[in-house]
């Protein structure tokens, strides 16, 4: 068998694996089944993902939803490096007219909660039939605003994490698990 190992991957700033690939797979299947049940009567179900972090989660989740769905995306930024700015900018809006749709807004992780709060406020003004929030991860201790996450994968402690779509400066999105980042090593590596 050929050796695909690469000394630069996975990155040396990876700390510990917090959630394994198997745990993610199982939880995403459960969320998909729950959504399938909850939206059995829905006539127009839209999965609206926030780019780019939610993409891996969303593509797995949608295959566990056994209902007709439509996909759309928005791109927002609130973050530079590893600190929350509290300022959320809409870089690119969704294309679907969501008036009358059942919308599930999907993000990778809730930290301060500003992103999901800001985007959900904006979406409510567009009068969907319903709006639910879904996130793979939640750093509950970090919340700055009150938020109802209807579909949540896992609560995690206050680590900066990468993998399964999540990044640090665009690195780590393609890792199949969720791992903490050793921020000291990461900073050293940048010099
Ligand atoms: P919030 O607006 O503070 O809730 O931040 C949410 C956004 O920050 C998410 O969409 C992520 O893009 C990013 N984020 C927060 N924590 C992490 C992390 O640990 N790893 C990677 N991205 C994160
Ligand atoms: Mg994000």
């Amino acid at each position: 068998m050929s050796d695909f190992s690469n000394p630069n991957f996975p990155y040396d700033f990876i700390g510990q694996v917090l959630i394994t690939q198997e745990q993610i797979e199982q939880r995403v299947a459960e969320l998909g089944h729950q959504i399938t049940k909850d939206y059995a009567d829905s006539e127009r179900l839209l999965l609206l993902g926030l780019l780019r972090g939610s993409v891996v989660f969303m593509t797995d989740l949608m295959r566990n939803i056994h209902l007709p769905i439509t996909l759309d995306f928005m791109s927002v930024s609130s973050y530079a490096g590893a600190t929350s700015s509290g300022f959320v900018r809409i870089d690119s809006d969704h294309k679907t007219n969501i008036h009358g749709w059942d919308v599930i807004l999907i993000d990778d992780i809730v930290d301060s909660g500003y992103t999901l709060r800001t985007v959900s406020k904006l979406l409510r003004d567009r009068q969907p039939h319903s709006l639910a929030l879904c996130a793979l991860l939640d750093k509950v201790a970090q919340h700055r605003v009150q938020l109802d996450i209807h579909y949540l994968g896992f609560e995690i402690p206050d680590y900066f994490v990468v993998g399964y779509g999540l990044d640090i400066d665009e690195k780590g999105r393609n890792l199949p698990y969720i791992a903490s980042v050793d921020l000291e090593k990461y900073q050293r590596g940048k010099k």
Side-chain angles (χ1 to χ4, degrees):
M1 216 168 89
S2 38
D3 181 6
F4 290 108
S5 72
N6 178 318
N8 299 316
F9 192 86
Y11 308 95
D12 62 5
F13 58 74
I14 298 298
Q16 64 186 119
V17 174
L18 299 179
I19 308 171
T20 64
Q21 189 170 358
E22 292 72 24
Q23 287 172 314
I24 296 173
E25 245 172 58
Q26 193 193 333
R27 186 71 190 117
V28 171
E30 287 168 6
L31 290 175
H33 295 154
Q34 189 61 49
I35 291 171
T36 305
K37 270 200 217 159
D38 295 350
Y39 290 86
D41 297 329
S42 171
E43 282 167 21
R44 283 178 290 176
L45 177 57
L46 178 71
L47 302 187
L48 180 51
L50 297 185
L51 294 171
R52 288 169 277 216
S54 71
V55 164
V56 179
F57 174 40
M58 198 165 164
T59 52
D60 279 347
L61 182 65
M62 64 190 256
R63 282 173 288 182
N64 284 285
I65 298 175
H66 302 269
L67 296 171
I69 56 146
T70 297
L71 278 193
D72 209 334
F73 297 95
M74 289 172 81
S75 176
V76 305
S77 39
S78 61
Y79 236 78
T83 45
S84 182
S85 63
F87 175 76
V88 180
R89 189 182 64 200
I90 309 295
D91 295 322
S92 145
D93 215 337
H94 58 86
K95 302 280 187 290
T96 319
N97 176 356
I98 63 170
H99 186 272
W101 284 71
D102 292 311
V103 178
I104 303 180
L105 176 60
I106 304 178
D107 204 1
D108 49 0
I109 185 165
V110 185
D111 186 6
S112 67
Y114 289 129
T115 302
L116 281 183
R117 189 189 59 169
T118 306
V119 177
S120 58
K121 265 192 182 168
L122 179 82
L123 296 181
R124 280 206 184 88
D125 287 344
R126 296 173 177 175
Q127 300 178 324
H129 177 252
S130 69
L131 176 64
L133 306 186
C134 172
L136 178 71
L137 304 173
D138 188 2
K139 292 188 201 173
V140 248
Q142 292 298 105
H143 286 198
R144 298 281 175 276
V145 292
Q146 208 275 325
L147 264 187
D148 246 347
I149 313 291
H150 306 87
Y151 302 102
L152 175 67
F154 304 90
E155 286 185 4
I156 60 163
D158 182 26
Y159 291 116
F160 198 86
V161 295
V162 292
Y164 200 67
L166 290 97
D167 71 305
I168 183 156
D169 298 332
E170 296 304 321
K171 295 184 197 75
R173 293 196 195 274
N174 56 332
L175 297 168
Y177 45 75
I178 299 292
S180 62
V181 171
D182 182 332
L183 289 171
E184 269 179 27
K185 267 195 188 162
Y186 182 73
Q187 292 304 339
R188 257 185 267 135
K190 284 212 297 195
K191 282 174 197 150

